[in-house]
Amino acid sequence: MKNICVTALYNIGREAYDGRKFEDYLHWFEQILRLNTPLVVYGESNLKQWVMDRRDGKPTWFVEQSLADIPCYHYKDRVSKIIHSSEFKIRVNQPQRLECNLAEYTLVIYSKLYWMIDAVKRYGSEDGSVFWVDAGCSRFIDSKLYSSDFPNSAKVESLGDRFFIQMSRNYPDLIQNKSLPENYFWLAKPLTAAGFIHMMG
């Protein structure tokens, strides 16, 4: 069984919208690169050497891909038109949220599954698992994980062939409901969090 982790990092200019600097992501990403796991990284060509220098010989594949070439970027004009329309701004519950203002953010989020599939085709195996790990999620990871193999093989086997994705802890009202309200898509409340995703290869 060959388990691989997949991640990506792009400077989408979010600092202008929510103050989160790209330099902060580089710091968080540097910790992700310490994980003892085969890692596939998608990013601009100018990031490649920076990544490889920090992987310290661990199995690493860097796929050079410009922001304009990420899997969902061809939806940019359509997404921009929607989120900047007056109807959307009036109806959406939290118009200040990043995904309601910066199309590139949404395009990166929805590219994650495509990157995982691509990584499996390039470097995975039929009986292995593939994990998405956000470039910035080291701030939520226990430091003990950096000193052991990741992911834990025994725990991976216990997942079987199930698809696994994080639930968002920010909105327990949604998680506890047996069904979503009709206006769910206008709430701007994510039911899931895409920081960590698992699926079989």
Side-chain angles (χ1 to χ4, degrees):
M1 175 181 287
K2 179 182 178 183
N3 299 315
I4 59 173
C5 287
V6 185
T7 190
L9 182 61
Y10 289 88
N11 186 354
I12 58 173
R14 69 178 291 169
E15 182 180 358
Y17 295 87
D18 66 1
R20 191 176 291 183
K21 300 177 181 178
F22 186 65
E23 289 74 17
D24 293 334
Y25 270 94
L26 288 174
H27 171 70
W28 296 325
F29 192 37
E30 197 164 12
Q31 305 311 306
I32 292 298
L33 296 176
R34 292 172 52 205
L35 288 172
N36 189 23
T37 183
L39 186 64
V40 182
V41 181
Y42 291 81
E44 303 270 11
S45 59
N46 60 2
L47 188 66
K48 181 176 181 179
Q49 194 57 53
W50 186 90
V51 167
M52 301 307 290
D53 288 345
R54 285 155 179 78
R55 283 294 286 163
D56 194 29
K58 298 181 183 73
T60 309
W61 300 273
F62 191 97
V63 181
E64 295 182 20
Q65 194 172 70
S66 70
L67 180 61
D69 289 326
I70 70 173
C72 291
Y73 197 85
H74 59 282
Y75 293 115
K76 182 178 184 295
D77 290 343
R78 292 171 64 183
V79 172
S80 293
K81 183 177 180 181
I82 292 169
I83 66 176
H84 295 301
S85 69
S86 56
E87 179 185 5
F88 180 84
K89 293 296 186 186
I90 291 170
R91 295 184 68 180
V92 73
N93 183 256
Q94 300 180 62
Q96 75 282 0
R97 287 180 64 95
L98 186 62
E99 61 267 37
C100 298
N101 292 279
L102 182 61
E104 286 84 351
Y105 177 76
T106 299
L107 302 175
V108 167
I109 296 297
Y110 283 99
S111 290
K112 293 177 182 181
L113 291 177
Y114 292 99
W115 278 319
M116 292 173 74
I117 293 169
D118 183 66
V120 169
K121 289 178 180 177
R122 291 173 184 260
Y123 313 111
S125 62
E126 292 183 3
D127 62 343
S129 287
V130 57
F131 294 84
W132 176 268
V133 182
D134 262 5
C137 75
S138 64
R139 58 197 193 279
F140 308 120
I141 292 179
D142 189 322
S143 60
K144 295 176 184 176
L145 288 177
Y146 297 115
S147 59
S148 58
D149 289 343
F150 181 86
N152 182 294
S153 297
K155 291 183 178 179
V156 170
E157 289 184 20
S158 71
L159 291 173
D161 59 359
R162 289 174 291 180
F163 180 88
F164 172 85
I165 190 169
Q166 287 175 295
M167 299 293 288
S168 174
R169 294 178 296 178
N170 296 326
Y171 306 106
D173 55 317
L174 293 178
I175 295 174
Q176 294 168 6
N177 280 348
K178 292 184 178 179
S179 62
L180 294 174
E182 288 185 16
N183 67 335
Y184 166 70
F185 292 104
W186 297 107
L187 293 177
K189 289 183 175 183
L191 178 62
T192 60
F196 188 82
I197 305 170
H198 160 263
M199 66 180 182
M200 291 296 293

